[in-house]
Amino acid sequence: MGLRNILSRRRKAAEPSAAVPAGKSAELEAAWAELRQTVDEFKVTSFRACSRTGRSWAEDPEAVRQIAATIARIVKDTADGPKGNPAR
């Protein structure tokens, strides 16, 4: 298996698939829109995510929203400075 095959597999794995049930597709699209907005707002250039269950996180609206929330929380906490550490 060449490098090109590996890269194309990763790209396909990170994209939502067309096999998502019709009722969930609108919710999934909304979750992806939230993630794109968060990434643009905080100028995130890249991130990695994985699932503990073995299912693709990219097809789970709640997981996509949690990633967006985690990015926002990390950026906010970093901007606010360290928490719970006494000033030296």
Side-chain angles (χ1 to χ4, degrees), residues 17 23 25-28 35 37 43 46 49 56 59-60 62 72 82 84:
S17 82
S25 72
E27 184 180 358
L28 184 59
L35 179 58
Q37 180 181 0
K43 297 176 178 67
S46 68
S56 174
E59 295 176 4
D60 181 5
E62 185 60 32

Side-chain angles (χ1 to χ4, degrees), residues 8-24:
S8 68
R9 279 186 173 191
R10 284 186 180 177
R11 194 174 319 123
K12 288 177 186 174
E15 296 172 357
S17 82
V20 177
K24 265 196 160 180

Side-chain angles (χ1 to χ4, degrees), residues 1-82:
M1 179 184 294
L3 181 59
R4 185 174 298 164
N5 291 341
I6 293 171
L7 294 176
S8 68
R9 279 186 173 191
R10 284 186 180 177
R11 194 174 319 123
K12 288 177 186 174
E15 296 172 357
S17 82
V20 177
K24 265 196 160 180
S25 72
E27 184 180 358
L28 184 59
E29 286 299 318
W32 272 98
E34 291 174 25
L35 179 58
R36 282 190 293 274
Q37 180 181 0
T38 302
V39 166
D40 290 343
E41 179 181 344
F42 295 115
K43 297 176 178 67
V44 175
T45 57
S46 68
F47 65 90
R48 291 180 182 226
C50 62
S51 170
R52 291 182 181 176
T53 64
R55 291 181 43 219
S56 174
W57 64 269
E59 295 176 4
D60 181 5
E62 185 60 32
V64 174
R65 286 190 175 101
Q66 289 298 321
I67 291 171
T70 300
I71 291 170
R73 187 174 54 248
I74 289 170
V75 172
K76 182 183 177 297
D77 288 349
T78 302
D80 290 346

